[in-house]
Amino acid sequence: MKLEKLNPLTPEYLESIGFVWHTDNDNTSYVADEIVEITEDEANAYYEACNELYDMFCEAGEYVIENDLFHEINIPFNLVDLIKESWENDVHWHLYSRFDLAGGIDGKPIKLIEFNADTPTALFETAVIQWAMLKANGLDEASQFNNMFEALKDNFKRIITLDSHIEKFEEYYKDLGWKILFSSISGSSEDENTTKLLQHIASEAGFNTDFEFMDRVQFNDEGIFKEDELFEFWFKLVPWEDIGIEESELALILTDIIKEKKAIIFNPAYTLMFQSKGFMKILWDLYPNHPLLLETSFEPLENKKQVEKRCFGREGANTKIINEDGSIDVETAGEYEGHKAIYQEYVELPTDSEGNSYQAGVFFAYEACGLGFRRGEKILNNMSKFVGHIIK
């Protein structure tokens, strides 16, 4: 793989645009001062692969619902009705998500590792920071697979038009005047500023918007409120599984709100199915040996190097790489031990000359729209670095 050295953006500049999580706990920069060089063909391959994968996820989602496979993929029981309600009605629009992939830049085939469909991170980095790095270094900022800002802006309009004809947005919205409330948990500048970036994009699209921290939003039978103001749309950068497990009363209220059509929530509850790593097993059952998939099972694979991970684990926690003979190559601890395990065929990530691993992340908003990379050890964690790219 090819890397190009760049002059880094200064902390002062990053903070001026709201990107305040630029330095890790060990005082190293979170954003690498190198970018990955890819070809136009490689960018197109990522685009085509993720569009195909999303169609597969939709087919598999229907299969899960028809066959009541929620328990198999570790879905909290109190979110099942909410998932079904959101799946059945097109108004529950999937706003954005991120595919994590191996391969694609090393002459090896693209393989799906998992799908961050509910609360994907690295939005700010992918949409804004890597573009700004090219511009600051006198490079062509358009030489990226990165139209995320416009793709998200258009996809916000589709929550009104519900189809590809976004030019109808103003005509439809003028009569409705609906508002979107954006929420994140308090105390996390990354979550807050990522949410406010999405709020800014929605405002650019033409929506009336507001922001409130999660613990101050009001929920009742009439809908979702900030103080006394009712909001027809609510975006929450809070994982659905956390609501199901930790906020059972809220899960019931939100189910009633959706059933009674009092509000629409983004991302929809059905994205929790896609978010579950157990969904990879469903995909493998429906599309065995598909070139974009890795063999996945709820039981250890025989005579194969594999990865054991938890259905709703995050940031590489509670993950093991298991050798063919059953010995442990490397493993991590974490707080997700209580979640169901899956076993996924191991695939080598692309590496640089220093042995660092690179995982591609491709955002999806109606279609694949933005590429970025995470760099780290074999098991990527919250100390992994963000690495931008350029098409050459």
Side-chain angles (χ1 to χ4, degrees), residues 82 219-221 223 248-259:
L82 194 52
F219 309 91
N220 60 44
D221 293 343
S248 57
E249 184 177 346
L250 177 58
L252 290 173
I253 295 172
L254 293 178
T255 301
D256 288 339
I257 285 172
I258 294 300
K259 282 184 175 179

Side-chain angles (χ1 to χ4, degrees), residues 104-371:
I105 55 170
D106 53 358
K108 294 180 181 177
I110 294 169
K111 295 288 185 179
L112 174 66
I113 297 173
E114 58 196 50
F115 187 28
N116 296 274
D118 178 18
T119 53
T121 56
L123 173 71
F124 207 124
E125 299 90 305
T126 306
V128 178
I129 301 304
Q130 63 172 343
W131 174 86
M133 285 187 70
L134 295 191
K135 188 173 180 66
N137 280 270
L139 300 170
D140 179 9
E141 62 267 24
S143 295
Q144 286 186 340
F145 171 22
N146 181 16
N147 63 319
M148 282 185 63
F149 197 96
E150 288 303 317
L152 279 164
K153 188 174 169 181
D154 289 347
N155 218 25
F156 270 112
K157 293 179 180 179
R158 290 189 186 95
I159 68 180
I160 298 295
T161 66
L162 298 181
D163 60 23
S164 59
H165 302 296
I166 56 174
E167 68 276 3
K168 298 177 183 178
F169 169 76
E170 290 186 8
E171 173 189 342
Y172 291 172
Y173 185 70
K174 183 167 55 179
D175 296 330
L176 297 170
W178 288 345
K179 303 177 291 295
I180 309 178
L181 180 64
F182 287 80
S183 297
S184 68
I185 60 170
S186 58
S188 170
S189 56
E190 179 178 356
D191 285 3
E192 179 183 347
N193 287 2
T194 297
T195 303
K196 287 181 175 177
L197 173 61
L198 285 161
Q199 181 188 357
H200 172 72
I201 296 171
S203 298
E204 288 272 305
F207 281 93
N208 296 315
T209 70
D210 203 348
F211 177 89
E212 185 57 279
F213 289 116
M214 178 77 177
D215 58 357
R216 298 185 62 182
V217 179
Q218 300 157 28
F219 309 91
N220 60 44
D221 293 343
E222 294 303 312
I224 299 173
F225 295 82
K226 175 182 177 180
E227 297 175 350
D228 293 327
E229 185 176 9
L230 175 68
F231 286 82
E232 293 81 9
F233 296 119
W234 181 48
F235 173 88
K236 47 102 201 130
L237 197 65
V238 178
W240 275 112
E241 71 268 22
D242 287 359
I243 293 174
I245 295 168
E246 301 170 11
E247 302 281 351
S248 57
E249 184 177 346
L250 177 58
L252 290 173
I253 295 172
L254 293 178
T255 301
D256 288 339
I257 285 172
I258 294 300
K259 282 184 175 179
E260 298 301 320
K261 298 178 172 56
K262 298 295 186 181
I264 297 168
I265 302 171
F266 305 107
N267 274 316
Y270 65 74
T271 60
L272 183 59
M273 294 191 296
F274 298 168
Q275 180 87 21
S276 170
K277 296 173 181 63
F279 203 88
M280 306 297 114
K281 162 67 162 60
I282 306 298
L283 283 174
W284 186 257
D285 288 346
L286 295 178
Y287 303 96
N289 300 307
H290 190 284
L292 292 172
L293 300 180
L294 296 166
E295 182 180 356
T296 307
S297 174
F298 293 133
E299 302 295 333
L301 304 174
E302 293 186 7
N303 303 317
K304 284 190 175 181
K305 190 169 185 178
Q306 60 199 279
V307 180
E308 176 189 327
K309 47 191 176 181
R310 303 291 157 168
C311 280
F312 291 109
R314 291 175 179 266
E315 296 184 327
N318 300 104
T319 300
K320 296 177 185 176
I321 298 177
I322 305 171
N323 295 316
E324 287 183 36
D325 62 5
S327 61
I328 304 299
D329 182 358
V330 61
E331 66 179 311
T332 59
E335 59 187 43
Y336 303 102
E337 196 68 32
H339 289 286
K340 187 174 183 176
I342 67 155
Y343 300 86
Q344 185 181 62
E345 178 186 356
Y346 177 75
V347 61
E348 294 278 355
L349 294 173
T351 56
D352 60 23
S353 59
E354 296 181 2
N356 297 306
S357 297
Y358 288 73
Q359 178 179 277
V362 177
F363 277 86
F364 189 95
Y366 193 71
E367 63 180 355
C369 59
L371 168 69

